[in-house]
């Protein structure tokens, strides 16, 4: 995703490279060989934004970019973690792991997983871990969920823990919510753990029911262009939390468990019961977005991939006008890609920057990327990153 983007098709580094970096890091820091290597991908969300914590629907897919953890158990109850992001390893024991917030920075995602496992009653093996990643940090591709999930996969297997993968997303989400302190929903960890190559993951966030929806871009002659807006994440955490609070207050005002319970057919009546315009806009986004996910799934089930374009673009308009989570760089990328012939374009992820997805004809991906780059240059924005991506598989042991 890095570097100036005259063309769209800079391929991600082969997974072998990142795995080799994790192994090399392990050997150099700890000596000896890791017992194994576990990988988890980044993700994008095809559609369904800010619906997960409203117990609604999402449709993300895992990316071919991966975080790899090379790890081995140790005899004592301590965890040493080295990451490419930092020269020095971080070491912590049960006291720090059991006190949310004690370990900070990137290592908090690792300590959070140890905390969540221990809080769920598991005996977590002490371990040495070395982490390398191709998932860019701060681009909204869920680098945090990728670390959590790769570490979780490693610790579950090293400790022989009785914990089926269906239960991993909730655990990794607890690590992020309660140890790291970010009030996110269940989407990212689900995509990263349960994603399947060639499919988008249709997830009902109320009951975690999953359906793998075939999403064969190649067969349709299409490509998904992922555009890194390079917008700095301004106040993203506070804004995310405030959107979540508004939604929860609105659900209380409407007397429903969550906004998912407001049917799109009853939206106008629901909006009349709300106290102010801003709350009405927030609710309208969530309720219509849930419906757009269902409509997208219906089109994909019918094999009509190209026809999802207008739903993607409508989702973006709703995020821009009603949920108010877009920024000028993101809106510029969306407008430029649409003007260059994309079928549908939307920001993906929590908002205030991050990436934009453009559904394009495979043979026009470079032209659309170039049009976005030109529009950025005209407005004086830092050049966007662009890459095409196909849905990849979720967290797994590599060898
Ligand atoms: C972030 C969060 F982590 C997700 O849970 C989700 O709410 C998303 O923003 C918005 O759809 O990625």
């Amino acid at each position: 995703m890095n570097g100036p983007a005259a063309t769209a098709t800079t391929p991600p580094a082969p997974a072998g490279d990142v795995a080799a970096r994790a192994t090399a890091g392990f050997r150099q820091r700890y000596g000896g060989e890791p017992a194994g290597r576990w990988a988890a991908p980044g993700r994008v969300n095809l559609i369904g934004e800010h619906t997960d914590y409203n117990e609604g629907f999402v449709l993300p897919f895992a990316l071919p970019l991966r975080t790899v953890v090379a790890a081995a158990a140790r005899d004592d109850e301590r965890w040493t973690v080295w990451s490419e992001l930092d020269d020095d390893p971080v070491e912590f024991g049960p006291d720090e792991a059991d006190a949310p917030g004690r370990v900070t920075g990137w290592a908090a995602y690792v300590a959070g997983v140890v905390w969540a496992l221990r809080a769920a009653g598991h005996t977590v093996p002490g371990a040495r871990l070395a982490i390398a990643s191709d998932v860019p940090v701060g681009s909204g591709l869920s680098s945090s969920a990728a670390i959590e999930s790769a570490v979780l996969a490693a610790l579950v297997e090293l400790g022989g823990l009785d914990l089926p993968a269906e239960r991993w997303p909730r655990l990794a989400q607890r690590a992020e919510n309660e140890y790291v302190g970010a009030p996110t929903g269940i989407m990212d960890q689900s995509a990263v753990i349960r994603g399947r190559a060639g499919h988008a993951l249709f997830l009902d966030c109320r009951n975690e029911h999953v359906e793998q929806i075939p999403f064969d871009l190649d067969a349709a002659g299409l490509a998904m262009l992922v555009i890194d807006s390079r917008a700095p994440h301004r106040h993203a955490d506070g804004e995310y939390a405030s959107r979540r609070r508004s939604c929860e207050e609105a659900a209380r005002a409407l007397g429903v468990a969550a906004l998912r319970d407001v049917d799109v057919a009853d939206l106008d009546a629901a909006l009349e019961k709300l106290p102010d315009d801003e709350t009405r806009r927030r609710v309208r986004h969530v309720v219509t977005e849930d419906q757009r996910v269902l409509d997208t799934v219906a089109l994909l089930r019918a094999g009509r991939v190209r026809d999802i374009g207008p739903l993607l673009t409508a989702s973006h308009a709703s995020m821009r006008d009603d949920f108010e989570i877009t920024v000028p760089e993101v809106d510029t990328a969306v407008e430029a890609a649409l003007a260059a012939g994309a079928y549908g374009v939307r920001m993906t992820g929590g908002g205030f920057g991050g990436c934009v997805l453009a559904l394009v004809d495979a043979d026009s991906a470079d032209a659309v990327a170039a049009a976005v780059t030109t529009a950025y240059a005209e407005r004086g924005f830092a050049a966007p990153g662009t890459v095409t991506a196909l849905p990849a598989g979720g967290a797994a042991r590599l060898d």
Side-chain angles (χ1 to χ4, degrees):
M1 295 287 302
N2 293 318
T7 67
T9 44
T10 313
D17 291 358
V18 60
R21 297 203 306 274
T23 306
F26 187 98
R27 289 184 184 135
Q28 191 189 344
R29 297 287 149 182
Y30 310 126
E33 291 299 307
R37 302 183 296 183
W38 291 264
R43 69 95 188 88
V44 288
N45 186 19
L46 185 55
I47 195 163
E49 225 62 84
H50 288 262
T51 46
D52 60 354
Y53 56 78
N54 288 300
E55 301 186 19
F57 306 105
V58 293
L59 192 62
F61 63 87
L63 290 171
L65 302 167
R66 291 199 274 182
T67 293
V68 175
V69 175
R74 52 191 277 176
D75 297 335
D76 53 2
E77 235 189 1
R78 295 195 67 75
W79 296 273
T80 313
V81 201
W82 170 83
S83 147
E84 287 181 312
L85 296 174
D86 214 341
D87 282 344
D88 297 322
V90 174
E91 184 165 320
F92 59 89
D95 287 351
E96 293 94 336
D98 292 347
R102 273 282 288 282
V103 178
T104 57
W106 59 266
Y109 297 103
V110 181
V113 167
V114 174
W115 170 81
L117 283 168
R118 286 168 64 86
H122 297 284
T123 303
V124 186
R128 293 188 174 85
L129 307 110
I131 303 175
S133 185
D134 285 335
V135 185
V137 175
S139 293
L141 298 180
S142 286
S143 57
S144 54
I147 292 195
E148 290 156 3
S149 306
V151 167
L152 188 51
L155 292 177
V156 164
E157 198 170 330
L158 288 174
L161 308 186
D162 180 17
L163 190 60
E166 297 77 53
R167 287 176 47 208
W168 296 5
R170 205 46 95 184
L171 233 132
Q173 184 202 9
R174 283 199 73 195
E176 183 136 356
N177 290 172
E178 296 178 50
Y179 196 95
V180 180
T184 54
I186 188 95
M187 171 172 73
D188 299 346
Q189 292 81 5
S190 302
V192 160
I193 290 164
R194 306 180 78 174
R196 186 187 293 173
H199 294 75
L201 184 89
F202 177 34
L203 173 69
D204 181 335
C205 299
R206 171 161 277 169
N207 55 24
E208 288 183 65
H209 178 77
V210 151
E211 186 183 338
Q212 300 285 352
I213 306 292
F215 187 46
D216 191 344
L217 290 160
D218 274 347
L222 295 168
M224 191 58 81
L225 184 60
V226 183
I227 304 162
D228 184 345
S229 73
R230 296 276 158 79
H233 279 239
R234 303 176 197 100
H235 314 301
D237 293 352
E239 294 288 352
Y240 184 96
S242 98
R243 293 304 181 285
R244 182 167 184 162
R245 229 175 7 254
S246 298
C247 291
E248 288 165 355
E249 282 166 15
R252 270 195 295 280
L254 294 170
V256 291
L259 291 183
R260 183 262 179 73
D261 296 310
V262 180
D263 195 281
V264 77
D266 304 328
L267 179 59
D268 288 343
L271 295 183
E272 275 173 26
K273 294 187 194 142
L274 292 168
D276 58 88
D277 252 10
E278 185 180 285
T279 311
R280 282 191 275 277
R281 288 199 303 275
R282 304 296 186 250
V283 170
R284 188 164 56 205
H285 166 72
V286 173
V287 173
T288 57
E289 184 77 349
D290 269 333
Q291 187 60 46
R292 282 186 288 271
V293 176
L294 299 176
D295 293 345
T296 302
V297 167
L299 287 170
L300 292 181
R301 281 197 190 115
R304 294 170 56 191
V305 184
R306 193 174 273 101
D307 293 345
I308 71 172
L311 291 164
L312 305 184
T313 306
S315 167
H316 186 78
S318 179
M319 290 190 285
R320 183 190 59 215
D321 302 336
D322 280 349
F323 221 59
E324 295 176 286
I325 54 172
T326 69
V327 292
E329 291 88 337
V330 159
D331 292 331
T332 297
V334 170
E335 282 153 27
L338 280 172
Y343 293 108
V345 193
R346 65 182 291 278
M347 182 184 73
T348 183
F352 306 98
C355 286
V356 165
L357 295 182
L359 181 67
V360 297
D361 277 326
D363 56 13
S364 73
D366 284 349
V368 174
V372 174
T373 303
T374 303
Y376 260 52
E378 281 166 8
R379 285 167 184 72
F381 298 150
T386 53
V387 68
T388 54
L390 293 171
R397 182 173 181 147
L398 286 183
D399 48 32

